[in-house]
Amino acid sequence: MISLTDLGIIRDVAWQDDTLIVTVTPTYSGCPATSIINLDIETALRGHGIEKIELKRQLSPAWTTDWLTEGGKRKLEAFGIAPPQPAGGPDHCPHCGSKSIEKISQFGSTPCKATWRCKDCLEPFDYFKCI
Amino acid sequence: MSTAVTSGDDALFEFLCRMGDSTLVLGHRVSEWCGHAPVLEEDIALANTALDLIGQTQLWLGLAGEVEGKGRDADKLAFLRDGWDFRSALLTEVPNGDFGRTLMRQFLFDAWHSIYLGRLLKSSDKRVADIAEKASKEVSYHLERSADTVVALGDGTEESHARMADALAYLWPYVGELFAGDAVDAAMVEAGVAPDPASLREEYDALVGRILEEATLALPEGRFAHKGGRDGRMHTEHLGHILTQMQWLQRAYPGCTW
């Protein structure tokens, strides 16, 4: 699955004396995953033997889908989520590749996604919104 | 510390509560639709909009608590203040009514919100500008959706058009408060933190007028405005009911978490 660095939300990692400062930016201000993400970061770092960790929230510059890595976009598509496009809508159906698609709702299962549908294979799919 | 600085912080605290309380109360109102919207996609859209607004509330009230310096965080401010300490705009407090009225209220608020946040991007207070930068991205998306829906329903069937016209007539008297400045606003203008609300009216009327025209609805001419929410002088009778529902858990079980 997609990693936090793929998502582009880890803005900085730096040592301050013996404390590791990880700077994280939220995708959406109300994203319910934020606390889980922070917990995951701490757990992962502790698993690597790092004991003193400080998580810093940085709002500006605000997160943009431009920070998604190419690898991250590929992983999204492989998972059935159409990656963000500069044009503002998905390029094609992530299931069958058809370009014949339509928007169902500007929002999807999470704030970062919108709901679309393929008119060929008739499958609905999530589109990762471009912000 | 001089008195001037102290009163400046007091005004900043008030300003931040106005921002945070309006997003909090509207977020709560919109969340009331969860599980009740006409179709699943709209239900999801409303819940996501509410989530964004509550997220923004955490940022605004979090900063308010920091500025106040009395150890109150966003949760304490949201759940442990009484109605008279709230600074929510009256527009955010009015009941949802039908789906059309909810979306009309959202549109009237989003239009103001997007213009206001646009100005806050240039705030002299970097903390305010940072929150505005984050929130404005979400709000431009809210506006796109609420404007589209207002057009679709206004220029829809005879029934939907009539309901949207009713919604506009009901809500319009609550719009003026968003542009009525007072001493707090003047202090924020002076400090370069926030714009004079009155200076945004023209841009607002142009934006709202353009969408309403597309929706085959007329921009109301009346300028009568219910006031008293932003300054806490006189809220609607609805706020107390919202708070009893929103706050009862923290009131009944103080400090409860899960």
Side-chain angles (χ1 to χ4, degrees), chain A residues 90-101:
Chain A
D91 181 64
H92 55 263
C93 168
H95 304 302
C96 75
S98 165
K99 300 240 179 203
S100 177
I101 48 179

Side-chain angles (χ1 to χ4, degrees), chain B residues 65-180:
Chain B
E66 216 178 289
V67 166
E68 188 192 38
K70 290 182 186 166
R72 292 201 285 183
D73 59 11
D75 281 336
K76 283 208 173 77
L77 287 169
F79 297 119
L80 298 177
R81 276 179 306 155
D82 289 313
W84 48 80
D85 290 326
F86 269 71
R87 297 293 179 262
S88 39
L90 300 179
L91 178 67
T92 64
E93 300 170 10
V94 293
N96 287 335
D98 59 18
F99 178 73
R101 195 209 275 178
T102 297
L103 266 295
M104 178 62 85
R105 182 187 58 200
Q106 193 66 38
F107 168 64
L108 295 173
F109 183 82
D110 290 344
W112 168 82
H113 206 190
S114 70
I115 295 169
Y116 199 77
L117 288 173
R119 302 296 168 89
L120 291 184
L121 293 175
K122 296 175 212 112
S123 174
S124 62
D125 189 320
K126 187 169 175 341
R127 299 166 301 180
V128 171
D130 284 0
I131 297 175
E133 184 185 345
K134 186 78 215 158
S136 63
K137 284 190 163 199
E138 294 161 3
V139 169
S140 60
Y141 201 76
H142 296 172
L143 177 62
E144 191 185 318
R145 170 173 175 275
S146 60
D148 279 358
T149 315
V150 163
V151 171
L153 293 174
D155 188 19
T157 63
E158 204 177 312
E159 169 83 17
S160 72
H161 176 87
R163 286 190 185 220
M164 292 313 266
D166 283 351
L168 182 60
Y170 174 82
L171 295 167
W172 192 251
Y174 294 98
V175 165
E177 189 196 14
L178 300 171
F179 302 95

Side-chain angles (χ1 to χ4, degrees), chain B:
Chain B
M1 191 185 284
S2 74
T3 330
V5 173
T6 311
S7 70
D9 272 357
D10 286 350
L12 182 58
F13 175 74
E14 283 286 310
F15 160 77
L16 293 166
C17 286
R18 289 175 179 189
M19 295 306 293
D21 288 345
S22 282
T23 51
L24 174 63
V25 173
L26 185 59
H28 183 87
R29 270 287 183 236
V30 175
S31 77
E32 289 172 358
W33 275 101
C34 194
H36 301 282
V39 289
L40 183 60
E41 287 75 16
E42 290 306 328
D43 203 290
I44 291 169
L46 286 162
N48 275 305
T49 304
L51 195 59
D52 282 345
L53 291 168
I54 301 296
Q56 292 165 19
T57 303
Q58 286 179 323
L59 301 177
W60 290 123
L61 292 187
L63 181 54
E66 216 178 289
V67 166
E68 188 192 38
K70 290 182 186 166
R72 292 201 285 183
D73 59 11
D75 281 336
K76 283 208 173 77
L77 287 169
F79 297 119
L80 298 177
R81 276 179 306 155
D82 289 313
W84 48 80
D85 290 326
F86 269 71
R87 297 293 179 262
S88 39
L90 300 179
L91 178 67
T92 64
E93 300 170 10
V94 293
N96 287 335
D98 59 18
F99 178 73
R101 195 209 275 178
T102 297
L103 266 295
M104 178 62 85
R105 182 187 58 200
Q106 193 66 38
F107 168 64
L108 295 173
F109 183 82
D110 290 344
W112 168 82
H113 206 190
S114 70
I115 295 169
Y116 199 77
L117 288 173
R119 302 296 168 89
L120 291 184
L121 293 175
K122 296 175 212 112
S123 174
S124 62
D125 189 320
K126 187 169 175 341
R127 299 166 301 180
V128 171
D130 284 0
I131 297 175
E133 184 185 345
K134 186 78 215 158
S136 63
K137 284 190 163 199
E138 294 161 3
V139 169
S140 60
Y141 201 76
H142 296 172
L143 177 62
E144 191 185 318
R145 170 173 175 275
S146 60
D148 279 358
T149 315
V150 163
V151 171
L153 293 174
D155 188 19
T157 63
E158 204 177 312
E159 169 83 17
S160 72
H161 176 87
R163 286 190 185 220
M164 292 313 266
D166 283 351
L168 182 60
Y170 174 82
L171 295 167
W172 192 251
Y174 294 98
V175 165
E177 189 196 14
L178 300 171
F179 302 95
D182 63 3
V184 171
D185 293 300
M188 290 298 97
V189 172
E190 175 85 8
V193 172
D196 172 13
S199 70
L200 311 175
R201 185 74 205 231
E202 207 177 315
E203 193 179 339
Y204 181 84
D205 282 352
L207 169 62
V208 170
R210 185 167 53 76
I211 298 299
L212 289 182
E213 195 183 333
E214 228 181 296
T216 68
L217 296 163
L219 186 73
E221 279 174 15
R223 280 292 177 100
F224 168 77
H226 294 293
K227 291 177 200 141
R230 289 181 80 241
D231 57 17
R233 196 174 42 80
M234 189 161 58
H235 282 283
T236 61
E237 67 270 36
H238 312 295
L239 180 67
H241 295 269
I242 295 173
L243 296 186
T244 51
Q245 194 180 42
M246 193 172 79
Q247 298 184 331
W248 76 267
L249 197 119
Q250 278 304 318
R251 301 287 192 177
Y253 305 96
C256 176
T257 58
W258 76 73

Side-chain angles (χ1 to χ4, degrees), chain A residues 40-55:
Chain A
D40 282 351
I41 294 172
E42 271 207 62
T43 312
L45 292 175
R46 282 190 205 289
H48 283 82
I50 298 163
E51 278 169 18
K52 284 192 174 172
I53 302 156
E54 195 185 310
L55 292 175

